[in-house]
mmCIF file with all atom_site columns, all heavy atoms in Angstrom:
data_model
loop_
_atom_site.group_PDB
_atom_site.id
_atom_site.type_symbol
_atom_site.label_atom_id
_atom_site.label_alt_id
_atom_site.label_comp_id
_atom_site.label_asym_id
_atom_site.label_entity_id
_atom_site.label_seq_id
_atom_site.pdbx_PDB_ins_code
_atom_site.Cartn_x
_atom_site.Cartn_y
_atom_site.Cartn_z
_atom_site.occupancy
_atom_site.B_iso_or_equiv
_atom_site.pdbx_formal_charge
_atom_site.auth_seq_id
_atom_site.auth_comp_id
_atom_site.auth_asym_id
_atom_site.auth_atom_id
_atom_site.pdbx_PDB_model_num
ATOM 1   N N   . GLU C 1 84 ? 7.824  31.931 -15.037 1.00 94.00 ? 394 GLU C N   1
ATOM 2   C CA  . GLU C 1 84 ? 9.125  32.541 -14.894 1.00 94.00 ? 394 GLU C CA  1
ATOM 3   C C   . GLU C 1 84 ? 9.312  33.259 -13.589 1.00 94.00 ? 394 GLU C C   1
ATOM 4   O O   . GLU C 1 84 ? 8.043  33.562 -12.970 1.00 94.00 ? 394 GLU C O   1
ATOM 5   C CB  . GLU C 1 84 ? 9.367  33.636 -15.931 1.00 94.00 ? 394 GLU C CB  1
ATOM 6   C CG  . GLU C 1 84 ? 9.355  33.082 -17.466 1.00 94.00 ? 394 GLU C CG  1
ATOM 7   C CD  . GLU C 1 84 ? 10.763 32.750 -17.889 1.00 94.00 ? 394 GLU C CD  1
ATOM 8   O OE1 . GLU C 1 84 ? 11.591 32.739 -17.023 1.00 94.00 ? 394 GLU C OE1 1
ATOM 9   O OE2 . GLU C 1 84 ? 10.901 32.391 -18.986 1.00 94.00 ? 394 GLU C OE2 1
ATOM 10  N N   . PRO C 1 85 ? 10.298 33.435 -13.012 1.00 90.00 ? 395 PRO C N   1
ATOM 11  C CA  . PRO C 1 85 ? 10.411 34.241 -11.751 1.00 90.00 ? 395 PRO C CA  1
ATOM 12  C C   . PRO C 1 85 ? 9.881  35.576 -11.945 1.00 90.00 ? 395 PRO C C   1
ATOM 13  O O   . PRO C 1 85 ? 10.033 36.203 -13.053 1.00 90.00 ? 395 PRO C O   1
ATOM 14  C CB  . PRO C 1 85 ? 11.929 34.203 -11.278 1.00 90.00 ? 395 PRO C CB  1
ATOM 15  C CG  . PRO C 1 85 ? 12.743 33.969 -12.437 1.00 90.00 ? 395 PRO C CG  1
ATOM 16  C CD  . PRO C 1 85 ? 11.746 33.132 -13.423 1.00 90.00 ? 395 PRO C CD  1
ATOM 17  N N   . GLU C 1 86 ? 9.198  36.047 -10.968 1.00 89.00 ? 396 GLU C N   1
ATOM 18  C CA  . GLU C 1 86 ? 8.695  37.517 -11.091 1.00 89.00 ? 396 GLU C CA  1
ATOM 19  C C   . GLU C 1 86 ? 9.009  38.309 -9.890  1.00 89.00 ? 396 GLU C C   1
ATOM 20  O O   . GLU C 1 86 ? 9.398  37.742 -8.824  1.00 89.00 ? 396 GLU C O   1
ATOM 21  C CB  . GLU C 1 86 ? 7.156  37.537 -11.161 1.00 89.00 ? 396 GLU C CB  1
ATOM 22  C CG  . GLU C 1 86 ? 6.673  36.949 -12.542 1.00 89.00 ? 396 GLU C CG  1
ATOM 23  C CD  . GLU C 1 86 ? 5.074  36.742 -12.344 1.00 89.00 ? 396 GLU C CD  1
ATOM 24  O OE1 . GLU C 1 86 ? 4.395  37.647 -12.122 1.00 89.00 ? 396 GLU C OE1 1
ATOM 25  O OE2 . GLU C 1 86 ? 4.650  35.615 -12.377 1.00 89.00 ? 396 GLU C OE2 1
ATOM 26  N N   . PHE C 1 87 ? 8.802  39.539 -9.994  1.00 83.00 ? 397 PHE C N   1
ATOM 27  C CA  . PHE C 1 87 ? 9.083  40.451 -8.938  1.00 83.00 ? 397 PHE C CA  1
ATOM 28  C C   . PHE C 1 87 ? 7.722  41.149 -8.589  1.00 83.00 ? 397 PHE C C   1
ATOM 29  O O   . PHE C 1 87 ? 7.182  41.718 -9.414  1.00 83.00 ? 397 PHE C O   1
ATOM 30  C CB  . PHE C 1 87 ? 10.118 41.533 -9.173  1.00 83.00 ? 397 PHE C CB  1
ATOM 31  C CG  . PHE C 1 87 ? 11.497 40.915 -9.218  1.00 83.00 ? 397 PHE C CG  1
ATOM 32  C CD1 . PHE C 1 87 ? 12.260 40.786 -10.353 1.00 83.00 ? 397 PHE C CD1 1
ATOM 33  C CD2 . PHE C 1 87 ? 12.068 40.536 -7.987  1.00 83.00 ? 397 PHE C CD2 1
ATOM 34  C CE1 . PHE C 1 87 ? 13.607 40.252 -10.360 1.00 83.00 ? 397 PHE C CE1 1
ATOM 35  C CE2 . PHE C 1 87 ? 13.520 39.859 -8.076  1.00 83.00 ? 397 PHE C CE2 1
ATOM 36  C CZ  . PHE C 1 87 ? 14.108 39.832 -9.256  1.00 83.00 ? 397 PHE C CZ  1
ATOM 37  N N   . ASP C 1 88 ? 7.387  41.292 -7.415  1.00 81.00 ? 398 ASP C N   1
ATOM 38  C CA  . ASP C 1 88 ? 6.157  42.042 -6.935  1.00 81.00 ? 398 ASP C CA  1
ATOM 39  C C   . ASP C 1 88 ? 6.697  43.316 -6.501  1.00 81.00 ? 398 ASP C C   1
ATOM 40  O O   . ASP C 1 88 ? 7.361  43.455 -5.518  1.00 81.00 ? 398 ASP C O   1
ATOM 41  C CB  . ASP C 1 88 ? 5.400  41.297 -5.764  1.00 81.00 ? 398 ASP C CB  1
ATOM 42  C CG  . ASP C 1 88 ? 4.254  42.076 -5.358  1.00 81.00 ? 398 ASP C CG  1
ATOM 43  O OD1 . ASP C 1 88 ? 4.218  43.349 -5.514  1.00 81.00 ? 398 ASP C OD1 1
ATOM 44  O OD2 . ASP C 1 88 ? 3.366  41.497 -4.876  1.00 81.00 ? 398 ASP C OD2 1
ATOM 45  N N   . TYR C 1 89 ? 6.655  44.281 -7.396  1.00 79.00 ? 399 TYR C N   1
ATOM 46  C CA  . TYR C 1 89 ? 7.343  45.586 -7.116  1.00 79.00 ? 399 TYR C CA  1
ATOM 47  C C   . TYR C 1 89 ? 6.747  46.277 -5.881  1.00 79.00 ? 399 TYR C C   1
ATOM 48  O O   . TYR C 1 89 ? 7.411  46.940 -5.174  1.00 79.00 ? 399 TYR C O   1
ATOM 49  C CB  . TYR C 1 89 ? 7.230  46.511 -8.270  1.00 79.00 ? 399 TYR C CB  1
ATOM 50  C CG  . TYR C 1 89 ? 8.177  46.142 -9.389  1.00 79.00 ? 399 TYR C CG  1
ATOM 51  C CD1 . TYR C 1 89 ? 7.686  45.200 -10.435 1.00 79.00 ? 399 TYR C CD1 1
ATOM 52  C CD2 . TYR C 1 89 ? 9.516  46.488 -9.499  1.00 79.00 ? 399 TYR C CD2 1
ATOM 53  C CE1 . TYR C 1 89 ? 8.571  44.810 -11.391 1.00 79.00 ? 399 TYR C CE1 1
ATOM 54  C CE2 . TYR C 1 89 ? 10.335 46.148 -10.552 1.00 79.00 ? 399 TYR C CE2 1
ATOM 55  C CZ  . TYR C 1 89 ? 9.825  45.349 -11.437 1.00 79.00 ? 399 TYR C CZ  1
ATOM 56  O OH  . TYR C 1 89 ? 10.766 44.864 -12.435 1.00 79.00 ? 399 TYR C OH  1
ATOM 57  N N   . LEU C 1 90 ? 5.374  46.113 -5.749  1.00 80.00 ? 400 LEU C N   1
ATOM 58  C CA  . LEU C 1 90 ? 4.708  46.785 -4.699  1.00 80.00 ? 400 LEU C CA  1
ATOM 59  C C   . LEU C 1 90 ? 5.256  46.387 -3.295  1.00 80.00 ? 400 LEU C C   1
ATOM 60  O O   . LEU C 1 90 ? 5.347  47.190 -2.393  1.00 80.00 ? 400 LEU C O   1
ATOM 61  C CB  . LEU C 1 90 ? 3.186  46.524 -4.682  1.00 80.00 ? 400 LEU C CB  1
ATOM 62  C CG  . LEU C 1 90 ? 2.331  47.549 -4.070  1.00 80.00 ? 400 LEU C CG  1
ATOM 63  C CD1 . LEU C 1 90 ? 2.517  48.876 -4.701  1.00 80.00 ? 400 LEU C CD1 1
ATOM 64  C CD2 . LEU C 1 90 ? 0.829  47.152 -4.395  1.00 80.00 ? 400 LEU C CD2 1
ATOM 65  N N   . LYS C 1 91 ? 5.451  45.061 -3.274  1.00 78.00 ? 401 LYS C N   1
ATOM 66  C CA  . LYS C 1 91 ? 5.854  44.533 -1.885  1.00 78.00 ? 401 LYS C CA  1
ATOM 67  C C   . LYS C 1 91 ? 7.323  44.223 -1.854  1.00 78.00 ? 401 LYS C C   1
ATOM 68  O O   . LYS C 1 91 ? 7.827  43.685 -0.901  1.00 78.00 ? 401 LYS C O   1
ATOM 69  C CB  . LYS C 1 91 ? 5.004  43.204 -1.536  1.00 78.00 ? 401 LYS C CB  1
ATOM 70  C CG  . LYS C 1 91 ? 3.595  43.488 -1.430  1.00 78.00 ? 401 LYS C CG  1
ATOM 71  C CD  . LYS C 1 91 ? 2.926  42.253 -1.090  1.00 78.00 ? 401 LYS C CD  1
ATOM 72  C CE  . LYS C 1 91 ? 1.327  42.285 -1.264  1.00 78.00 ? 401 LYS C CE  1
ATOM 73  N NZ  . LYS C 1 91 ? 0.628  41.144 -1.312  1.00 78.00 ? 401 LYS C NZ  1
ATOM 74  N N   . SER C 1 92 ? 8.052  44.382 -3.007  1.00 76.00 ? 402 SER C N   1
ATOM 75  C CA  . SER C 1 92 ? 9.485  44.148 -3.000  1.00 76.00 ? 402 SER C CA  1
ATOM 76  C C   . SER C 1 92 ? 9.706  42.712 -2.658  1.00 76.00 ? 402 SER C C   1
ATOM 77  O O   . SER C 1 92 ? 10.533 42.339 -1.933  1.00 76.00 ? 402 SER C O   1
ATOM 78  C CB  . SER C 1 92 ? 10.323 45.035 -2.040  1.00 76.00 ? 402 SER C CB  1
ATOM 79  O OG  . SER C 1 92 ? 10.420 46.410 -2.600  1.00 76.00 ? 402 SER C OG  1
ATOM 80  N N   . LEU C 1 93 ? 8.902  41.826 -3.317  1.00 79.00 ? 403 LEU C N   1
ATOM 81  C CA  . LEU C 1 93 ? 9.090  40.407 -3.048  1.00 79.00 ? 403 LEU C CA  1
ATOM 82  C C   . LEU C 1 93 ? 9.469  39.737 -4.402  1.00 79.00 ? 403 LEU C C   1
ATOM 83  O O   . LEU C 1 93 ? 9.079  40.021 -5.490  1.00 79.00 ? 403 LEU C O   1
ATOM 84  C CB  . LEU C 1 93 ? 7.763  39.853 -2.597  1.00 79.00 ? 403 LEU C CB  1
ATOM 85  C CG  . LEU C 1 93 ? 7.327  40.245 -1.242  1.00 79.00 ? 403 LEU C CG  1
ATOM 86  C CD1 . LEU C 1 93 ? 5.937  39.650 -0.912  1.00 79.00 ? 403 LEU C CD1 1
ATOM 87  C CD2 . LEU C 1 93 ? 8.339  39.991 -0.132  1.00 79.00 ? 403 LEU C CD2 1
ATOM 88  N N   . GLU C 1 94 ? 10.146 38.639 -4.189  1.00 84.00 ? 404 GLU C N   1
ATOM 89  C CA  . GLU C 1 94 ? 10.412 37.872 -5.374  1.00 84.00 ? 404 GLU C CA  1
ATOM 90  C C   . GLU C 1 94 ? 9.347  36.701 -5.357  1.00 84.00 ? 404 GLU C C   1
ATOM 91  O O   . GLU C 1 94 ? 8.951  36.036 -4.285  1.00 84.00 ? 404 GLU C O   1
ATOM 92  C CB  . GLU C 1 94 ? 11.821 37.215 -5.338  1.00 84.00 ? 404 GLU C CB  1
ATOM 93  C CG  . GLU C 1 94 ? 12.123 36.353 -6.499  1.00 84.00 ? 404 GLU C CG  1
ATOM 94  C CD  . GLU C 1 94 ? 13.090 35.294 -6.243  1.00 84.00 ? 404 GLU C CD  1
ATOM 95  O OE1 . GLU C 1 94 ? 13.695 35.113 -5.020  1.00 84.00 ? 404 GLU C OE1 1
ATOM 96  O OE2 . GLU C 1 94 ? 13.425 34.496 -7.200  1.00 84.00 ? 404 GLU C OE2 1
ATOM 97  N N   . ILE C 1 95 ? 8.822  36.354 -6.629  1.00 90.00 ? 405 ILE C N   1
ATOM 98  C CA  . ILE C 1 95 ? 7.791  35.378 -6.602  1.00 90.00 ? 405 ILE C CA  1
ATOM 99  C C   . ILE C 1 95 ? 8.519  34.063 -7.365  1.00 90.00 ? 405 ILE C C   1
ATOM 100 O O   . ILE C 1 95 ? 8.940  34.293 -8.535  1.00 90.00 ? 405 ILE C O   1
ATOM 101 C CB  . ILE C 1 95 ? 6.677  35.684 -7.454  1.00 90.00 ? 405 ILE C CB  1
ATOM 102 C CG1 . ILE C 1 95 ? 5.967  36.965 -6.710  1.00 90.00 ? 405 ILE C CG1 1
ATOM 103 C CG2 . ILE C 1 95 ? 5.523  34.600 -7.654  1.00 90.00 ? 405 ILE C CG2 1
ATOM 104 C CD1 . ILE C 1 95 ? 4.829  37.668 -7.532  1.00 90.00 ? 405 ILE C CD1 1
ATOM 105 N N   . GLU C 1 96 ? 8.599  33.043 -6.660  1.00 92.00 ? 406 GLU C N   1
ATOM 106 C CA  . GLU C 1 96 ? 9.236  31.797 -7.267  1.00 92.00 ? 406 GLU C CA  1
ATOM 107 C C   . GLU C 1 96 ? 8.644  31.281 -8.475  1.00 92.00 ? 406 GLU C C   1
ATOM 108 O O   . GLU C 1 96 ? 7.366  31.263 -8.465  1.00 92.00 ? 406 GLU C O   1
ATOM 109 C CB  . GLU C 1 96 ? 9.376  30.690 -6.086  1.00 92.00 ? 406 GLU C CB  1
ATOM 110 C CG  . GLU C 1 96 ? 10.531 30.864 -5.270  1.00 92.00 ? 406 GLU C CG  1
ATOM 111 C CD  . GLU C 1 96 ? 10.563 29.449 -4.463  1.00 92.00 ? 406 GLU C CD  1
ATOM 112 O OE1 . GLU C 1 96 ? 9.500  29.036 -3.668  1.00 92.00 ? 406 GLU C OE1 1
ATOM 113 O OE2 . GLU C 1 96 ? 11.528 28.830 -4.483  1.00 92.00 ? 406 GLU C OE2 1
#
Side-chain angles (χ1 to χ4, degrees):
Chain C
E394 298 274 5
E396 286 174 63
F397 289 107
D398 180 338
Y399 288 90
L400 202 58
K401 297 180 191 165
S402 288
L403 295 177
E404 186 207 354
I405 299 167
E406 273 192 302

